[in-house]
Amino acid sequence: MTPGPAPASSVTAARDALVGVYSPEDVLFVEGRGTVLVDEEGTECLDFTSGIGACALGHDAPVVREAVEVGLDAGLVHTSNLFRTEPAETLARILVDAAFDGEGGAFFCNSGAEANEAAFKFARRWARASGGEAKHEIVALRGSFHGRLFASLAATDRPEYRAPFEPLVPGIRFAGVEDEASVDAVVSGERTAAVIAEPVQGEGGIRPLSGGFLSFLRARCDAAGAALIFDEVQCGMGRTGELFAHRASGVEPDILTLAKPLAGGLPMGAAVAAPDVAAAVRPGDHATTFGGGPLVAGVAKAVVRRISDPGFLSAVREKGSRVRAALRRWEEERDAVRAVRGRGLMWGIEIDGDAREVVARAFDAGLLVLTAGAEVVRLLPPLTVGDDELDRGLEILEGVLP
Ligand SMILES: *Cc1c(COP(=O)(O)O)cnc(C)c1O
């Protein structure tokens, strides 16, 4: 078995200077290569977290490196949105073509939470223009995670994240997943501006929503004159083996939010809107200083082109079947494995026990994995992970499961 990573040594004293919102593992990674992270002592860890899905092409991906170099050679890191730059416009064109057959518009920001905040503002703008002043409510789902800013947190179903910071943004209501009656009870033609859903809930435990439920949400939004927002910050951009996770259902949103993998590990988010919604947004309605800067947008352009490649996506689906086969076997053979859920290279293993303990034991054995709630171990390997790496990681994980 791989020896585990070493406790951090070189900058231990500086740790206190960070606000204590995180409790990171005591390891300092100094180098990344594909699916591997290397610590100070040269110990290699297999990374099935890929920066919480952000480094979808792996660490030190040639596509990312080359695009960064092109951007740096041009000397244009940032100009602000006071001026036009090519990478943001080309990237917007690529995303609007992919998501909405060429009609609509993209707004660029710097994170997933910001993408959802933009989506909420655009949805309210659009819904009020067509349906009157009262149309402002956002309906979110139980088990959701949409970010940590005030409106995205208000739409996030995690009491422990919310309680210390209340009051949050008002006008957000919750409905149950796969629970049509509870959706009907809160979606209103008079008041609802938008319904937001993750086609595959990530932080909530890797829970794919059924195609039937997504089409029900689509129909309910159409009837109520509300925008359907798909938050694909975690499940989008090839993670499920389709460019967008909702493609598996055939249900199309009015706004699609993206972030984590969009710029290959550099910070970037996007809210991509269908034509009606995009047309309702006016100059000055929203803005962010860094949004769509030429360096990150140039990288995202390269990343999106790479991930959109049909051969790349079918390789993700094949690797996904490999993971599925192993996990299904565990589900059958091991009493402590209650359920396994996922698609492509996004998987959750629900166990009888504390998922954090499994993550810690895997870490000690040189495999980095995540939790998704208290009882779910989450796998988000880079989409470029090799078959041998997958097999090795799964073998380590099987050895540390309860
Ligand atoms: C991570 C995540 C977010 C928030 O993204 P940040 O970049 O951390 O703000 C929003 N929605 C989903 C589904 C996520 O997984």
Side-chain angles (χ1 to χ4, degrees):
M1 200 179 263
T2 332
S9 62
S10 58
V11 296
T12 330
R15 184 176 179 161
D16 293 350
L18 286 166
V19 166
V21 291
Y22 306 112
S23 31
E25 292 291 350
D26 192 20
V27 60
L28 268 177
F29 287 120
V30 293
E31 203 186 314
R33 267 183 266 118
T35 312
V36 169
L37 285 173
V38 186
D39 76 4
E40 295 166 291
E41 316 254 283
T43 305
E44 298 188 351
C45 289
L46 259 184
D47 181 14
F48 280 17
T49 71
S50 55
I52 320 187
C55 301
L57 299 181
H59 299 287
D60 197 28
V63 168
V64 173
R65 174 186 280 270
E66 279 158 28
V68 168
E69 278 166 5
V70 167
L72 291 178
D73 286 347
L76 273 189
V77 172
H78 172 75
T79 59
S80 86
N81 292 293
L82 296 171
F83 312 104
R84 295 176 60 180
T85 46
E86 178 277 327
E89 294 189 10
T90 308
L91 175 64
R93 172 51 51 215
I94 294 171
L95 290 175
V96 167
D97 285 353
F100 295 110
D101 284 335
E103 304 288 324
F107 171 81
F108 295 120
C109 51
N110 315 289
S111 70
E114 285 178 56
N116 288 327
E117 303 269 335
F120 293 163
K121 286 181 72 176
F122 298 167
R124 279 192 178 171
R125 192 59 148 148
W126 167 80
R128 281 189 164 137
S130 54
E133 240 345 79
K135 275 183 96 63
H136 70 284
E137 286 183 356
I138 313 281
V139 173
L141 297 177
R142 292 287 165 209
S144 62
F145 181 89
H146 298 298
R148 306 282 204 133
L149 303 180
F150 275 106
S152 46
L153 182 59
T156 289
D157 183 29
R158 286 281 196 115
E160 70 281 17
Y161 294 172
R162 304 163 55 99
F165 307 106
E166 285 170 348
L168 306 177
V169 170
I172 313 253
R173 311 192 62 179
F174 283 92
V177 166
E178 309 291 334
D179 181 349
E180 299 187 358
S182 77
V183 174
D184 279 333
V186 292
V187 171
S188 135
E190 216 172 292
R191 294 186 316 273
T192 308
V195 174
I196 183 166
E198 298 157 80
V200 182
Q201 291 189 333
E203 304 296 315
I206 312 293
R207 295 171 200 279
L209 305 192
S210 72
F213 186 64
L214 293 177
S215 18
F216 169 77
L217 293 180
R218 177 72 272 171
R220 216 55 208 82
C221 283
D222 289 342
L228 180 59
I229 303 170
F230 282 161
D231 175 348
E232 296 215 11
V233 167
Q234 188 162 156
C235 62
M237 301 301 321
R239 180 51 63 185
T240 62
E242 309 261 1
L243 182 58
F244 303 125
H246 66 264
R247 286 284 148 82
S249 67
V251 177
E252 299 293 330
D254 299 297
I255 307 176
L256 175 68
T257 58
L258 301 168
K260 288 186 170 89
L262 183 56
L266 273 66
M268 185 177 218
V272 191
D276 289 5
V277 176
V281 178
R282 300 267 168 276
D285 274 355
H286 198 46
T288 173
T289 299
F290 289 115
L295 181 74
V296 284
V299 174
K301 231 171 62 176
V303 169
V304 176
R305 281 189 174 134
R306 181 86 195 91
I307 292 179
S308 307
D309 182 89
F312 183 90
L313 289 169
S314 78
V316 173
R317 290 194 293 274
E318 270 164 39
K319 288 180 256 196
S321 318
R322 209 178 180 86
V323 180
R324 179 194 310 266
L327 269 54
R328 292 271 186 250
R329 184 167 57 73
W330 302 349
E331 189 181 32
E332 273 175 29
E333 292 174 2
R334 301 183 76 111
D335 290 342
V337 174
R338 281 207 295 252
V340 299
R341 294 181 294 268
R343 281 199 204 136
L345 287 172
M346 177 178 196
W347 286 90
I349 304 149
E350 190 176 316
I351 56 160
D352 233 337
D354 188 344
R356 281 173 313 182
E357 288 174 12
V358 176
V359 170
R361 287 199 294 271
F363 177 81
D364 289 337
L367 173 71
L368 312 177
V369 294
L370 303 133
T371 61
E375 298 180 328
V376 177
V377 178
R378 171 172 42 155
L379 310 181
L380 295 173
L383 305 182
T384 51
V385 64
D387 284 348
D388 51 330
E389 292 171 327
L390 270 183
D391 292 347
R392 200 147 40 89
L394 292 169
E395 191 185 319
I396 297 175
L397 186 58
E398 186 174 11
V400 300
L401 284 176

